[in-house]
Structure formats: structure tokens, C-alpha cells
Amino acid sequence: MNLKQTMNKSLALAVLAMAGAASLPAQAVDAAAAEATARQNGCLKCHGVDKKKDGPSYREVAAKYKGKAGAEERLYTHITSGEKAKFPDGHEEEHKIIKTKDKAEIKNLIQWILSL
């Protein structure tokens, strides 16, 4: 094999490797850790995974934001700022602010919710 053929093969392999890496999620969601975060922060008092409580189920949240740009940022603001949450009966309350300040832990929680 000459140098040109070797370089072409190397380039083709590099492109395939990059394509394969691009199809993988940047970081896999740790569902157990996300559920633990939700439990520790009292999120599951108002939200169920499948069942609506005072707040929407996490599956409803995932469906609402599916395919929408900025979904992660929107949920991050919602759980870290204490903005108003609207309830089915029409009243509003400040949403509880998540206790953890670990951005990776918060991101994992949000990605888990959106993956449902």
C-alpha cells in the first residue's frame, strides 16, 4: 500500500470513528442517581414519574419539551430559581428550589426527566 492509500484509509477510519462517537450520547443518564436526587430534594412529593400529583408527572414534562430547543435550560431555570408554578386549580406558588448546587447532578436529573 502506498502513502496515499494509507492516508485515505486512515482518514476514512477517522471519519467513521467520529460518526460513531457523534451518535452516542455525550453522557449517559444515571437514572438511579437522578431518582435519588429527586427524592432527596422532595421533588417526588409533587411530581410522580408516571402519575400526576400537585405537579405534572415527569413523563408529561418530557412530552411537553420533546424536541424543543432550550428544554434543558428551561427546566434548569425552573428548578433553581423559585419561579412561580401554576397549579390545576389556578393558584400559583413559588417552585421549590433544588438544594444541590452540583450542576452535574442537576443536569443528570433534568436529562433523566427529559428521557422519560
Side-chain angles (χ1 to χ4, degrees):
M1 204 180 310
N2 66 31
L3 181 62
K4 186 175 179 180
Q5 289 173 323
T6 302
M7 289 180 65
N8 284 341
K9 271 191 170 182
S10 295
L11 180 60
L13 289 173
V15 169
L16 286 172
M18 287 189 302
S23 68
L24 296 174
Q27 180 181 359
V29 172
D30 183 342
E35 283 191 69
T37 299
R39 242 179 258 304
Q40 291 164 356
N41 286 275
C43 303
L44 298 175
K45 289 180 183 175
C46 295
H47 301 277
V49 173
D50 295 309
K51 293 183 181 179
K52 186 175 187 167
K53 294 183 179 180
D54 284 337
S57 74
Y58 284 145
R59 289 202 193 279
E60 289 175 291
V61 173
K64 176 181 177 179
Y65 288 103
K66 185 175 183 161
K68 292 188 179 175
E72 282 188 36
E73 294 82 8
R74 175 73 192 100
L75 291 178
Y76 186 90
T77 298
H78 189 67
I79 66 175
T80 61
S81 71
E83 70 181 6
K84 298 279 184 184
K86 295 176 185 169
F87 288 80
D89 66 3
H91 84 281
E92 293 182 354
E93 291 179 17
E94 288 183 2
H95 190 275
K96 186 175 178 183
I97 296 174
I98 196 163
K99 296 171 196 166
T100 184
K101 301 299 178 212
D102 182 341
K103 290 184 180 186
E105 186 177 356
I106 296 169
K107 183 176 180 174
N108 185 62
L109 173 63
I110 292 169
Q111 290 177 340
W112 171 68
I113 292 167
L114 293 174
S115 74
L116 297 173

